[in-house]
Amino acid sequence: KAGVTQTPRYLIKTRGQQVTLSCSPISGHRSVSWYQQTPGQGLQFLFEYFSETQRNKGNFPGRFSGRQFSNSRSEMNVSTLELGDSALYLCASSPGLATQETQYFGPGTRLLVL
Amino acid sequence: AQTVTQSQPEMSVQEAETVTLSCTYDTSESNYYLFWYKQPPSRQMILVIRQEAYKQQNATENRFSVNFQKAAKSFSLKISDSQLGDTAMYFCAFMINQGGKLIFGQGTELSVKP
């Protein structure tokens, strides 16, 4: 089975721009979670989608949004980029069912905001 | 609020020796999952081992095993016969049932020396 894929792998943007990141889960997985990783804050949960519905949300401003499509692929959008949004963005997929919660991670998208 | 604490920011071990990484967590939930992930320099997050809180038996995966002490809220990882490829950042993580949200510790950077 192919693993979780994320595109693009690297991205450079300037302050005020917006960005969209994409995540394709493992085949058959219906849950996609997004995380932000920075040296200062570590790994922080952004949100989780299951069957096209946001099931859980972290403590991030409304500039961070996401969605999930019927094929379970997910996108994450960040509007009005700030310097502090520079980070590694990881997505993870899982079956999303009770007792099948183990998350498998993609390689990440490294975002640099200038 | 659930929290995960890894008190050892850095550790080193000689090749072929055994090392134990510590993790404590805080929660009022009774059903949850615990995980150890490793993140090598490539930044790819890789699942090492998982433990269900309702299982008393400690999980093992080849050279990796855990010491799960539910009452003490402790979840340490033991790596036996350490190999150079074990060099990585190790994260302890916690998830409640069907939350889709992993809560991570700050990580322990492990160096395996030849």
Side-chain angles (χ1 to χ4, degrees), chain A residues 105, chain B residues 36-40 42-49:
Chain A
F105 283 80
Chain B
W36 279 97
Y37 285 89
K38 65 181 276 190
Q39 189 177 43
S42 67
R43 309 303 298 276
Q44 173 75 55
M45 194 74 80
I46 301 165
L47 176 69
V48 175
I49 200 164

Side-chain angles (χ1 to χ4, degrees), chain B residues 9-81:
Chain B
E10 297 177 355
M11 295 189 72
S12 66
V13 63
Q14 293 295 129
E15 198 175 5
E17 293 188 344
T18 296
V19 64
T20 298
L21 282 57
S22 301
C23 172
T24 57
Y25 59 94
D26 188 24
T27 183
S28 57
E29 301 286 338
S30 56
N31 294 320
Y32 50 87
Y33 301 94
L34 293 160
F35 305 87
W36 279 97
Y37 285 89
K38 65 181 276 190
Q39 189 177 43
S42 67
R43 309 303 298 276
Q44 173 75 55
M45 194 74 80
I46 301 165
L47 176 69
V48 175
I49 200 164
R50 134 193 174 132
Q51 174 82 43
E52 292 90 341
Y54 63 85
K55 289 188 178 178
Q56 293 188 340
Q57 187 172 7
N58 289 324
T60 62
E61 284 289 343
N62 301 314
R63 299 183 294 107
F64 300 89
S65 61
V66 298
N67 183 2
F68 174 46
Q69 301 289 329
K70 191 171 183 179
K73 295 180 182 174
S74 170
F75 183 61
S76 60
L77 175 70
K78 185 170 85 171
I79 306 174
S80 305
D81 186 26

Side-chain angles (χ1 to χ4, degrees), chain A residues 33 35 37 40-43 45 48 55-56 88 90 96-107 110, chain B residues 33 35 37 39 42-45 47 50 52 54 91 95-106:
Chain A
S33 297
Y35 297 88
Q37 186 175 23
Q41 298 299 316
L43 283 150
F45 172 79
E48 186 248 7
R55 196 165 56 169
N56 207 343
L88 179 67
L90 294 166
L97 304 173
T99 74
Q100 298 181 37
E101 293 289 340
T102 301
Q103 294 186 5
Y104 299 91
F105 283 80
R110 188 177 294 278
Chain B
Y33 301 94
F35 305 87
Y37 285 89
Q39 189 177 43
S42 67
R43 309 303 298 276
Q44 173 75 55
M45 194 74 80
L47 176 69
R50 134 193 174 132
E52 292 90 341
Y54 63 85
F91 292 97
M95 178 195 290
I96 61 173
N97 280 346
Q98 287 196 291
K101 172 183 177 179
L102 282 166
I103 298 170
F104 287 90
Q106 289 299 311

Side-chain angles (χ1 to χ4, degrees), chain A residues 5 14 28 33-34 36 43 46 49 57 59 63-64 72-74 78 88 91-92 102-103 106 112:
Chain A
T5 58
T14 56
S33 297
W34 288 89
Q36 181 195 65
L43 283 150
L46 281 153
Y49 286 86
K57 188 178 187 304
N59 190 24
R63 301 185 296 107
F64 292 82
S72 294
R73 189 177 69 86
S74 178
V78 188
L88 179 67
C91 85
T102 301
Q103 294 186 5
L112 177 61

